[in-house]
Amino acid sequence: MYTTQMDAAKRGILTDQLRIVAREEQLEPELLRALVASGRVVIPANRHHTSLHPMGVGEKLRTKINVNLGVSKDCYDIELELQKARKAIELKAEAIMDLSCYGKTREFRRRLIETSPVMIGTVPMYDAVGMLDKDLKDISVDEFFSVVERHAEDGVDFMTIHCGMNLKTAARVKQNKRLTNIVSRGGSLLFAWMELNNRENPFYEYYDRLLDICEQYDVTLSLGDACRPGSIQDATDAAQIEELITLGELTKRAWARNVQVMIEGPGHMAINEIAANMLLEKRLCHGAPFYVLGPLVTDIAPGYDHITSAIGGAIAAANGADFLCYVTPAEHLRLPNLDDMKEGIIASRIAAHAADIAKGIPGARTWDNQMSAARADVDFPRMIELAIDPEKAGRYRAESQPECEDTCTMCGKMCPMKNMKKILNGEDLSIA
């Protein structure tokens, strides 16, 4: 009997989850098993998440995207967040992170896990502050771990925990002034707890206790980047790299316990630094899958940060990132609504797909070739069917009808696709 997907892979066992992932990713099961055994692929699959359709994240696999949602004190509407979750699944997101930090968080989390076929992630630190209803300073180590265990019992597939924010990393933050300090919510809360109590980060100090929980439920540990840059000015600084080195050390300790690991990364970052950061993570963290927020390639576009994120995400994934956390137009401004969420998901899916073409993922180009063939045939119904967002493509087409049905209102009778098809078929051409 195996304990985790990694344990099974090391023992040479092809789990049901692994077979599903191998089939859908067009990989030989034995190759995928070797990747899981080495830690270069994770299959987040908590044994209590019975509605899960398993997916893999990592080397040689399609780039996956995650959608953040959840209730907060200012926006407490469980039904709306569940509606968002259903929409995210409909729009083909591969993961949902529940970032709830107020109220009946467990009720929402359980309902989400009960019905969700996609993998579910959480940040227990948020819930500790919201659920325990205590001042941050007064939360005990045991209480922190009780929240982690509760999330694992409920069926959470992966958890973001900022284990690398230790006293050494905190010192780097204080010694090297940043423009935007610490922008990670969970990281800033842990930093504050450490400063207020003059103590080490409990998730670093008692890391083996955390691994016990992850191993018991097969929770994938998403090692959070407390020092991710919140501005392009702070990217690739001493604090970020100090933490990344620590995360690499913690990765090896987790693997020794057969706990699956992802590494989280930036953040905000200039375009010319992205490729180097992807290489650094893969080298320092021994090939573990990389999960990035963006990166956002400029800081000046509130209201359009789904675009700045998609630019950075495509470059990051083409250079080795495995998992993109979506960013919506509402980033830095407010909790996203349904429309914001859709814009963010589509932008992230475009970035992920563009990267998969660059990475040579099996079948990635096929979709594009099918679309190009439909355009060459001037087959608008087929183009709309193949679109990443058929609803929007169909609406745009319907809003502006051309004189000739097999053209559009941009080119009309001068449509190069239509005219080239006619000429090459030896037909007469009239564009008058």
Side-chain angles (χ1 to χ4, degrees):
M1 180 63 181
Y2 60 87
T3 56
T4 68
Q5 293 292 323
M6 175 177 256
D7 181 38
K10 288 179 180 178
R11 293 170 184 259
I13 299 169
L14 300 177
T15 66
D16 292 342
Q17 293 87 349
L18 186 144
R19 290 180 187 277
I20 291 170
V21 173
R23 183 177 66 249
E24 295 184 353
E25 297 282 354
Q26 302 178 48
L27 279 185
E28 288 297 322
E30 275 297 331
L31 172 58
L32 181 58
R33 184 198 61 75
L35 291 168
V36 173
S38 69
R40 289 177 289 165
V41 166
V42 298
I43 302 176
N46 186 315
R47 56 179 51 89
H48 287 183
H49 187 177
T50 55
S51 63
L52 177 70
H53 181 87
M55 293 190 182
V57 178
E59 190 177 316
K60 300 187 184 300
L61 308 186
R62 289 184 301 106
T63 306
K64 306 304 188 298
I65 72 161
N66 170 72
V67 169
N68 291 337
L69 46 78
V71 293
S72 67
K73 189 171 184 178
D74 289 317
C75 295
Y76 186 75
D77 188 335
I78 287 178
E79 295 306 322
L80 176 59
E81 296 308 299
L82 287 170
Q83 184 182 356
K84 288 182 184 178
R86 289 190 290 271
K87 190 66 176 177
I89 294 165
E90 177 189 323
L91 292 172
K92 301 181 181 178
E94 287 91 3
I96 293 172
M97 286 202 78
D98 171 19
L99 306 187
S100 297
C101 58
Y102 178 78
K104 296 179 180 179
T105 56
R106 193 173 202 189
E107 175 190 332
F108 174 68
R109 182 169 60 251
R110 283 178 159 178
R111 289 178 65 183
L112 180 62
I113 292 167
E114 182 181 337
T115 59
S116 173
V118 306
M119 49 190 165
I120 300 296
T122 58
V123 187
M125 188 69 190
Y126 300 171
D127 199 21
V129 175
M131 182 187 78
L132 296 170
D133 195 25
K134 297 175 68 172
D135 287 338
L136 177 64
K137 180 178 183 294
D138 297 328
I139 298 176
S140 70
V141 171
D142 286 342
E143 286 173 327
F144 279 133
F145 279 98
S146 71
V147 174
V148 172
E149 183 140 26
R150 176 173 289 190
H151 283 221
E153 288 173 351
D154 289 344
V156 169
D157 302 298
F158 66 99
M159 295 185 200
T160 293
I161 301 183
H162 299 86
C163 306
M165 170 49 76
N166 58 15
L167 290 173
K168 190 176 180 182
T169 303
R172 288 284 187 197
V173 174
K174 290 185 282 189
Q175 292 162 6
N176 298 271
K177 179 63 178 173
R178 292 179 131 198
L179 185 60
T180 48
N181 297 311
I182 294 176
V183 299
S184 159
R185 192 181 352 169
S188 65
L189 290 169
L190 271 172
F191 180 90
W193 186 92
M194 293 161 65
E195 291 288 303
L196 291 168
N197 290 283
N198 193 29
R199 290 189 61 180
E200 180 58 276
N201 175 356
F203 296 116
Y204 178 79
E205 185 174 2
Y206 304 105
Y207 187 60
D208 285 330
R209 185 173 175 181
L210 177 61
L211 297 180
D212 288 340
I213 297 171
C214 292
E215 184 181 21
Q216 180 182 352
Y217 296 92
D218 197 1
V219 173
T220 297
L221 188 54
S222 190
L223 290 171
D225 53 334
C227 294
R228 71 169 182 264
S231 60
I232 60 171
Q233 178 64 28
D234 293 339
T236 327
D237 70 352
Q240 180 194 333
I241 302 306
E242 175 82 56
E243 184 180 28
L244 189 60
I245 292 169
T246 302
L247 297 183
E249 296 167 348
L250 295 174
T251 296
K252 294 184 83 171
R253 287 176 59 186
W255 287 347
R257 296 284 304 277
N258 295 319
V259 172
Q260 301 184 99
V261 173
M262 296 187 290
I263 307 296
E264 298 190 8
H268 295 234
M269 183 166 287
I271 284 176
N272 61 310
E273 295 181 46
I274 294 174
N277 268 263
M278 301 307 107
L279 177 61
L280 269 176
E281 184 277 340
K282 289 292 184 176
R283 290 297 297 271
L284 292 175
C285 297
H286 322 293
F290 203 14
Y291 174 26
V292 296
L293 178 66
L296 282 70
V297 295
T298 179
D299 300 331
I300 63 165
Y304 298 90
D305 276 330
H306 59 311
I307 297 174
T308 64
S309 171
I311 294 168
I315 296 168
N319 284 279
D322 307 287
F323 197 13
L324 305 181
C325 187
Y326 93 147
V327 172
T328 77
E331 185 78 8
H332 303 111
L333 299 171
R334 60 168 169 78
L335 197 73
N337 61 26
L338 274 166
D339 289 337
D340 299 327
M341 191 186 75
K342 179 179 178 180
E343 292 291 315
I345 290 172
I346 297 298
S348 292
R349 286 189 59 205
I350 292 169
H353 180 69
D356 288 348
I357 294 170
K359 288 192 283 193
I361 297 298
R365 282 181 178 265
T366 303
W367 187 3
D368 296 74
N369 292 341
Q370 290 171 341
M371 176 65 83
S372 296
R375 285 177 174 152
D377 288 339
V378 204
D379 185 346
F380 283 96
R382 178 63 172 156
M383 289 182 231
I384 292 166
E385 178 188 343
L386 288 165
I388 197 166
D389 182 1
E391 184 278 328
K392 187 172 186 178
R395 174 162 48 85
Y396 274 36
R397 172 73 176 164
E399 285 174 353
S400 185
Q401 289 292 319
E403 178 185 354
C404 299
E405 197 172 294
D406 57 351
T407 65
C408 76
T409 53
M410 173 69 77
C411 297
K413 290 184 177 181
M414 289 187 285
C415 172
M417 293 295 193
K418 177 181 177 180
N419 293 339
M420 284 301 297
K421 187 177 178 182
K422 281 179 172 287
I423 290 295
L424 291 173
N425 286 337
E427 301 176 25
D428 287 337
L429 182 65
S430 173
I431 56 174

